[in-house]
């Protein structure tokens, strides 16, 4: 099954957001997937924490995109979309706060078409991610 998936996406520029970008397991996977041209990893989180963790583990992040929600240039657009999608459940300030969390940000990043998929749940429980994606949380 994994081999079939790899065949389908390898070399096609499939962008996958990794919501826990500084986690050792995520870094290992992202570096390998990038090096083997299987997909385009996007590591979310604090850039200094990601690069620090990678350096301490001996991983080279050359060519791997890192994205800190706090520095995202289209945050206002994302917040507006969240308010629209959550239909009165979140005001603008609450939506902005939610978008600063990497799991929520990553979900919205995919929803907005900026990435093809998301991998999370290494640290945060998968059910919580599902809640964010469905608007139940």
């Amino acid at each position: 099954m994994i081999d079939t998936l790899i065949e389908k996406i390898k070399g096609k520029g499939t962008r996958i957001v990794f919501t826990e970008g500084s986690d050792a397991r995520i870094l290992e996977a992202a570096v390998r997937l990038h090096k083997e041209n299987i997909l385009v990893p996007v590591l979310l989180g604090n850039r200094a924490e990601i690069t620090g963790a990678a350096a301490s583990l001996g991983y080279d992040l050359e060519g791997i995109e890192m994205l800190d929600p706090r520095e995202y240039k289209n945050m206002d657009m994302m917040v507006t979309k969240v308010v629209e999608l959550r239909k009165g459940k979140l005001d603008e300030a609450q939506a902005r706060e939610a978008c600063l969390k990497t799991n929520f940000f990553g979900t919205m990043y995919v929803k907005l078409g900026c990435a093809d998929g998301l991998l999370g749940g290494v640290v945060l429980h998968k059910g919580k991610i599902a809640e964010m994606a469905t608007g139940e949380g």
Side-chain angles (χ1 to χ4, degrees):
M1 185 169 115
I2 296 295
D3 290 336
T4 302
L5 178 62
I6 289 171
E7 284 178 34
K8 285 183 179 183
I9 65 173
K10 188 170 184 170
K12 295 186 178 166
T14 303
R15 291 172 51 85
I16 301 295
V17 174
F18 292 84
T19 62
E20 297 149 327
S22 61
D23 182 86
R25 295 163 291 184
I26 294 298
L27 288 166
E28 179 181 8
V31 167
R32 179 174 172 221
L33 292 165
H34 173 71
K35 182 178 178 181
E36 295 178 13
N37 195 31
I38 295 171
L39 56 81
V40 177
V42 180
L43 300 174
L44 296 186
N46 178 287
R47 193 174 310 273
E49 289 176 13
I50 295 170
T51 56
S56 73
L57 295 165
Y59 295 130
D60 179 7
L61 298 180
E62 179 80 28
I64 296 178
E65 183 179 350
M66 290 175 274
L67 186 57
D68 186 338
R70 296 183 192 292
E71 300 170 358
Y72 184 54
K73 64 181 179 177
N74 294 317
M75 183 59 80
D76 290 340
M77 181 266 303
M78 183 180 280
V79 167
T80 299
K81 187 67 173 176
V82 169
V83 171
E84 174 187 315
L85 290 170
R86 297 301 293 262
K87 296 182 176 95
K89 293 181 182 177
L90 294 179
D91 64 24
E92 185 176 332
Q94 292 167 321
R96 188 170 303 279
E97 184 64 30
C99 287
L100 293 176
K101 296 176 181 147
T102 57
N103 286 291
F104 194 97
F105 178 91
T107 301
M108 285 304 301
Y109 200 68
V110 172
K111 175 73 175 169
L112 295 172
C114 301
D116 301 297
L118 175 141
L119 182 89
V122 173
V123 177
L124 183 68
H125 188 273
K126 292 165 190 68
K128 190 67 177 167
I129 294 171
E131 287 176 12
M132 287 185 248
T134 61
E136 305 281 317

